Amino acid sequence: MLKGLLRYYHTIKFLRWTQIKHQVLYKLIKPEPKRNKLHNSKVAKAEGVNLKFQESIVAPCSYQENNTFKFLNITHKFSENIDWNISKHGKLWVYNLNYFEYLSQSELTRTQGLELIDDFIRNEETIKDGMEPFPISLRTIFWIKFLLNHGIVHDHINASLLWQLKILSARPEYHLMGNHLLENGFSLLFGGCYLGNKEFVQQAKTILIEQLDEQILPDGAHFELSPMYHCLILYRILDSINLIQENPQLELKELLDILQDKAAKMLGWLQQMIFGNGSLPRVNDSVDGISPNTKALFDYAQRLEISIRKLSLSESGYRKRVNNNFELLVDVGRIGPDYIPGHSHSDTLNFILHFHGKPMIVDTGVSTYEKNQKRNQERSTSAHNTVAIAGGEQSEVWGGFRVARRANVFNLEESTNLISASHDGYFRIHTFHQRSFSFEENSITIIDKISKKSDAKAYLHFHPDVEVSLVGNELQGASWRIVFEDTSKIQLLEYQYAEGFNKTRVAQKAVLSFKDTLCTKIIGE
């Protein structure tokens, strides 16, 4: 019990007062407007009929006709009516159903889109998860984009939009902050411009200007340090630029300047993070296929005439080194913002390695957001290419989206061919971990040092397409080998590589046991 109380203390102490205040406030007070009163009144004619909007990014095919949907690698066909509250596939699946991103599919017709919107509106009084602020935020944006693209102005849809946006306006997610609060702001911007509601627009400006200043780091990264959420926020910024640029009558020049500046920096960060094969590292909560791919984002930015600002990786904590054989990404930063580490992993001094343009040593990925043992394992130290000491966690991830005590990096040194840093994640057992990477033309040498002799394990997770064999004290592949010094035991085991939500493949991992020092040399041939 004491251990549990301490974990709560070490989690809560990082929260901001506004998060605690709004947690309490939203539990006690539910200031939702009366739906019937809004629907039975005359809603102001939407300004949307006069708005212009360029083509945005096409969504993946998740609506497959005949009430069949595919999200998170799970396909479900509703036999009769759509159940907007379906729970059998988990909360994230029903969230995706309620987002309505499928309205942006190229194959979806005007008639199909209207039928889906109308079905939702007929059932909206009974909808639960879908009426939370986050799905409202995404849904209203996708509805408005669909309406603009097809030149649709229907009073009953406008009434529903107004009702949903009033719910959102009364309950922006200050208790969660981060990407949730930004999505609230983008939704209020689109809704306010479309419905001609100045209060929504002003609230959106307040949220966006303040939060973009905090959440976009000087090196262009979104501060939750997930490439997936970075891309999602960049997508929303580009859509907002699109809306404002195409409609100067909105008189949002100040906001436009800020959005353009942030977009240029975020594009610069993406450009630095991309591997030679076009993929992004899947660090922290990052899953392929959820956000638009980088090509789509760069193409969209080009159409909007947004330049890419050339920046060096710095505040985000990621470092990249590239030569003819290797592409190395190292994490020497914080796990994420102190008060919102929900998408962070226990992965300090983790690394990812591509060899000859293909993934070799990889992040194990994310296959679920459910609060279960699998989720905890995928966020754990042992699921990353770093070192665990005495079987403990560098950062205490728990509860699906929580972190108690967390590792802090210190003594960072770097040059063209060297990256070295230490962290205090094991301070509670009176030891520190130092790791250095020496980068040469045909090899990478990694040296791990533990300040006090302990039972330590280093992990290397190989991509499923990589074949590995253990020969003596070496791991060998098709045209590379990894040599170890000072390890007491080398194990070659299997693990589940997450290709996406609810989709895994068997792959190999190496577990290296040592006491105080481990030298790992990766040699390309």
Side-chain angles (χ1 to χ4, degrees), residues 336-463:
D338 284 338
Y339 63 93
I340 178 172
H343 294 296
S344 302
H345 291 196
S346 181
D347 63 349
T348 304
L349 307 187
N350 178 42
F351 75 98
I352 295 173
L353 185 67
H354 281 209
F355 178 59
H356 288 169
K358 294 181 180 180
M360 176 181 163
I361 297 173
V362 296
D363 198 282
T364 62
V366 174
S367 67
T368 183
Y369 270 7
E370 295 299 303
K371 296 177 183 179
N372 55 26
Q373 181 56 39
K374 192 172 186 66
R375 169 72 174 158
N376 289 338
Q377 167 57 28
E378 290 176 346
R379 296 179 73 207
S380 71
T381 304
S382 63
H384 298 86
N385 305 306
T386 187
V387 172
I389 302 175
E393 298 291 335
Q394 303 168 334
S395 297
E396 295 176 310
V397 293
W398 68 285
F401 296 91
R402 294 179 177 176
V403 184
R405 288 175 290 191
R406 64 280 311 257
N408 297 293
V409 173
F410 62 96
N411 288 345
L412 173 61
E413 298 178 19
E414 51 188 316
S415 63
T416 303
N417 298 316
L418 175 70
I419 301 172
S420 177
S422 301
H423 75 82
D424 64 0
Y426 293 102
F427 176 75
R428 57 191 176 276
I429 58 171
H430 311 293
T431 190
F432 300 94
H433 173 210
Q434 180 190 31
R435 170 170 270 191
S436 66
F437 297 83
S438 298
F439 197 61
E440 299 166 10
E441 190 60 36
N442 295 310
S443 67
I444 298 171
T445 301
I446 305 169
I447 297 179
D448 292 297
K449 293 182 180 180
I450 309 301
S451 62
K452 184 179 76 173
K453 280 194 174 182
S454 306
D455 291 324
K457 287 183 169 63
Y459 297 87
L460 300 175
H461 297 86
F462 294 93
H463 189 273

Side-chain angles (χ1 to χ4, degrees), residues 49-96:
V49 69
N50 298 316
L51 293 181
K52 297 177 182 177
F53 193 77
Q54 274 193 50
E55 180 184 353
S56 182
I57 294 175
V58 175
C61 185
S62 53
Y63 174 67
Q64 302 175 349
E65 299 186 347
N66 300 318
N67 287 352
T68 301
F69 298 84
K70 183 178 181 180
F71 307 113
L72 314 177
N73 295 304
I74 296 176
T75 301
H76 184 95
K77 177 178 172 57
F78 294 98
S79 55
E80 294 181 6
N81 299 320
I82 297 172
D83 178 4
W84 297 99
N85 295 311
I86 185 172
S87 60
K88 66 183 291 185
H89 304 309
K91 186 161 185 172
L92 189 58
W93 200 96
V94 74
Y95 258 26
N96 274 267

Side-chain angles (χ1 to χ4, degrees), residues 18 28 98 158 160 195 232 249 278 333 347 349:
T18 189
L28 295 176
N98 282 269
N158 296 342
S160 178
L195 295 173
L232 287 169
Q249 74 274 18
D347 63 349
L349 307 187

Side-chain angles (χ1 to χ4, degrees), residues 255-275:
L255 180 58
L256 177 62
D257 290 342
I258 292 170
L259 293 169
Q260 290 172 330
D261 175 67
K262 300 303 181 185
K265 290 180 178 178
M266 294 180 79
L267 290 163
W269 185 82
L270 269 187
Q271 193 173 64
Q272 292 295 315
M273 291 288 287
I274 294 171
F275 285 111

Side-chain angles (χ1 to χ4, degrees), residues 36-150:
N36 289 335
K37 185 176 180 181
L38 280 174
H39 275 253
N40 292 333
S41 67
K42 285 191 176 182
V43 178
K45 290 291 183 183
E47 296 292 328
V49 69
N50 298 316
L51 293 181
K52 297 177 182 177
F53 193 77
Q54 274 193 50
E55 180 184 353
S56 182
I57 294 175
V58 175
C61 185
S62 53
Y63 174 67
Q64 302 175 349
E65 299 186 347
N66 300 318
N67 287 352
T68 301
F69 298 84
K70 183 178 181 180
F71 307 113
L72 314 177
N73 295 304
I74 296 176
T75 301
H76 184 95
K77 177 178 172 57
F78 294 98
S79 55
E80 294 181 6
N81 299 320
I82 297 172
D83 178 4
W84 297 99
N85 295 311
I86 185 172
S87 60
K88 66 183 291 185
H89 304 309
K91 186 161 185 172
L92 189 58
W93 200 96
V94 74
Y95 258 26
N96 274 267
L97 176 66
N98 282 269
Y99 290 160
F100 272 78
E101 184 177 7
Y102 39 84
L103 291 179
S104 297
Q105 289 178 201
S106 58
E107 304 88 352
L108 193 97
T109 67
R110 182 181 192 274
T111 300
Q112 288 172 323
L114 282 174
E115 286 175 350
L116 290 165
I117 291 172
D118 286 343
D119 189 87
F120 181 91
I121 291 172
R122 283 193 296 271
N123 293 279
E124 61 187 8
E125 283 187 293
T126 65
I127 292 170
K128 298 175 183 177
D129 290 338
M131 282 301 176
E132 293 177 9
F134 191 72
I136 285 177
S137 296
L138 272 62
R139 180 173 56 249
T140 49
I141 291 173
F142 286 118
W143 277 22
I144 289 168
K145 287 165 62 176
F146 176 80
L147 297 174
L148 291 177
N149 288 337
H150 292 279

Side-chain angles (χ1 to χ4, degrees), residues 165-321:
L165 288 161
K166 280 185 174 291
I167 293 172
L168 174 60
S169 177
R171 301 174 68 83
E173 294 174 279
Y174 282 101
H175 59 306
L176 296 178
M177 307 289 284
N179 72 87
H180 278 244
L181 188 55
L182 273 179
E183 295 285 15
N184 300 161
F186 292 124
S187 174
L188 289 165
L189 175 66
F190 266 76
C193 292
Y194 184 77
L195 295 173
N197 187 306
K198 293 182 179 179
E199 291 181 4
F200 291 160
V201 172
Q202 185 54 51
Q203 188 177 12
K205 286 174 64 179
T206 299
I207 291 172
L208 292 175
I209 292 172
E210 177 187 85
Q211 293 301 312
L212 286 171
D213 181 61
E214 179 170 3
Q215 294 191 35
I216 308 306
L217 300 176
D219 72 354
H222 181 255
F223 77 157
E224 291 186 65
L225 304 178
S226 155
M228 180 181 79
Y229 285 100
H230 179 99
C231 290
L232 287 169
I233 295 302
L234 175 57
Y235 177 24
R236 226 67 76 206
I237 288 176
L238 293 177
D239 269 349
S240 300
I241 291 171
N242 185 349
L243 179 70
I244 299 171
Q245 278 186 173
E246 291 294 306
N247 300 280
Q249 74 274 18
L250 296 173
E251 297 182 346
L252 293 170
K253 180 67 167 58
E254 177 193 5
L255 180 58
L256 177 62
D257 290 342
I258 292 170
L259 293 169
Q260 290 172 330
D261 175 67
K262 300 303 181 185
K265 290 180 178 178
M266 294 180 79
L267 290 163
W269 185 82
L270 269 187
Q271 193 173 64
Q272 292 295 315
M273 291 288 287
I274 294 171
F275 285 111
N277 65 354
S279 67
L280 272 174
R282 304 187 311 160
V283 287
N284 290 318
D285 278 350
S286 285
V287 183
D288 292 339
I290 302 298
S291 64
N293 63 47
T294 54
K295 184 180 185 307
L297 289 166
F298 284 123
D299 288 348
Y300 190 18
Q302 187 175 33
R303 294 201 307 273
L304 296 173
E305 299 182 347
I306 306 297
S307 60
I308 299 172
R309 190 162 307 165
K310 293 184 179 180
L311 299 165
S312 297
L313 297 175
S314 52
E315 291 83 2
S316 60
Y318 297 114
R319 299 294 185 270
K320 192 98 169 282
R321 297 291 186 271

